[in-house]
Amino acid sequence: MKVLIHKEKREVVDGREFIVAKAKQYFVTDLSKDVHTLYGTISQQDLSKPSGSVIKSDNGKEFFLLDASFIDIYKRFRKLPQTIPLKDIGLIIGETGINPQSIVVDGGLGSGALAAALAHIAKHVFSYEVRDDCIATSEANIKMIGLTNITVKKKSLYDGIDETDVDLITLDLPEPWKVIPHCAKALKTGGFIISYSPSVPQVMDFVNELHKHDQLLYLKTVEIIERLWEIEGRRVRPKSTGIGHSGFIVFARKIRA
Ligand SMILES: C[S@@+](CC[C@H](N)C(=O)[O-])C[C@H]1O[C@@H](n2cnc3c(N)ncnc32)[C@H](O)[C@@H]1O
């Protein structure tokens, strides 16, 4: 898979700067065909050039060719239910310190976005899901990105967790408090739980249930607000569009065997 990037082009006319060609990216999955773009056709032969090559379309427009990286492919995932945005995934990875030795239990799998981001770093991810359409979509996404360390399980997390000695359990389902007793059994001492919920009542019920379990320590609840900025010469200001509220991330830890 390849990525073709056409950079924005500007021209100054009568002292004023105009965008004459907008920035555009193309994700190419079929390398056996020419690619038709807004700025002309890229020939199939050029797609086999090394990553970083500068190639031209049939009408002379310049493109940068890159091998598709993990994140390029990840951004092409087909999405069914709401997925966790990267801003929140970054904090989950940072705060729990998962690494190539980590075992993770995740659920619900949804479109497999969080499971894939975690499997990119961890040793193995076991992800639970109850819906067949989500399992089919996420399995296609996992195959597309080439991950082989995710085990998809058709099972409700409310009924229990099969794994033990788990480093991290990520909960992104409607009633996460129902999974807390199973987390206490499945986690290794020092392991983390994160629960991701869009609404305040879910956070309240989850944290109140956590407090009933001596083995578990409630750490904190975080909402990440991401604000994009527009930089146009000296006109620098926050963008008026962007991700609004996504979800609250609750962190907890198992502190006793
Ligand atoms: C918001 S989505 C999860 C999105 C996922 N984290 C991602 O990044 O793509 C919630 C998922 O939880 C699943 N689910 C609901 N109840 C469940 C349960 N008891 N056990 C496992 N999965 C469940 C739903 O079918 C749905 O796919």
Side-chain angles (χ1 to χ4, degrees):
M1 286 176 266
K2 299 276 182 178
V3 180
L4 281 167
I5 299 172
H6 182 270
K7 279 177 79 173
E8 184 179 274
K9 292 270 181 319
R10 290 161 183 254
E11 273 174 19
V12 178
V13 180
D14 294 336
R16 281 185 64 199
E17 197 177 53
F18 292 92
I19 296 173
V20 289
K22 283 191 172 174
K24 198 96 181 118
Q25 284 202 25
Y26 296 87
F27 187 78
V28 186
T29 48
D30 186 351
L31 304 182
S32 68
K33 287 186 191 149
D34 293 349
V35 182
H36 302 282
T37 79
L38 200 58
Y39 302 112
T41 301
I42 303 288
S43 101
Q44 175 259 321
Q45 283 99 314
D46 281 344
L47 297 175
S48 57
K49 289 188 173 164
S51 189
S53 298
V54 182
I55 56 183
K56 286 194 171 167
S57 66
D58 61 348
N59 61 18
K61 299 287 187 300
E62 211 172 59
F63 281 82
F64 298 85
L65 180 74
L66 293 180
D67 291 338
S69 67
F70 178 86
I71 202 66
D72 294 315
I73 304 170
Y74 182 87
K75 286 181 176 171
R76 303 289 302 185
F77 270 19
R78 184 161 171 247
K79 290 177 182 148
L80 286 177
Q82 198 192 356
T83 55
I84 301 186
L86 287 170
K87 70 179 176 74
D88 296 331
I89 291 177
L91 189 76
I92 294 167
I93 290 170
E95 288 281 353
T96 62
I98 60 157
N99 58 67
Q101 281 79 48
S102 303
I103 299 297
V104 178
V105 167
D106 165 68
L109 172 67
S111 314
L114 180 59
L118 297 172
H120 187 46
I121 293 172
K123 182 175 182 187
H124 204 95
V125 175
F126 297 88
S127 191
Y128 290 59
E129 177 56 63
V130 288
R131 273 172 53 182
D132 287 328
D133 58 334
C134 291
I135 290 177
T137 298
S138 54
E139 283 183 336
N141 287 336
I142 292 164
K143 188 170 174 215
M144 173 171 77
I145 209 158
L147 287 165
T148 53
N149 60 340
I150 301 177
T151 302
V152 173
K153 303 182 113 173
K154 187 171 182 199
K155 186 175 169 187
S156 168
L157 265 179
Y158 303 152
D159 295 339
I161 295 174
D162 304 328
E163 294 70 30
T164 52
D165 261 346
V166 173
D167 296 280
L168 169 64
I169 299 174
T170 54
L171 304 175
D172 182 9
L173 34 64
E175 297 173 301
W177 51 90
K178 289 188 176 171
V179 194
I180 290 176
H182 310 313
C183 292
K185 286 189 199 141
L187 278 177
K188 68 163 63 154
T189 307
F192 289 89
I193 310 173
I194 76 93
S195 176
Y196 190 83
S197 300
S199 78
V200 170
Q202 286 169 307
V203 173
M204 280 166 47
D205 290 350
F206 184 74
V207 174
N208 290 336
E209 183 62 33
L210 267 177
H211 287 313
K212 295 180 192 162
H213 293 261
D214 278 354
Q215 286 169 290
L216 301 175
L217 177 70
Y218 165 65
L219 296 172
K220 61 182 174 183
T221 298
V222 183
E223 179 188 12
I224 304 272
I225 313 276
E226 182 180 72
R227 194 153 68 134
L228 298 176
W229 285 66
E230 235 164 53
I231 320 278
E232 290 281 342
R234 292 184 56 78
R235 195 167 64 96
V236 176
R237 60 175 194 188
K239 277 197 175 183
S240 47
T241 54
I243 306 177
H245 170 70
S246 54
F248 301 103
I249 316 169
V250 182
F251 290 87
R253 195 163 194 193
K254 181 169 170 178
I255 50 164
R256 234 185 54 193

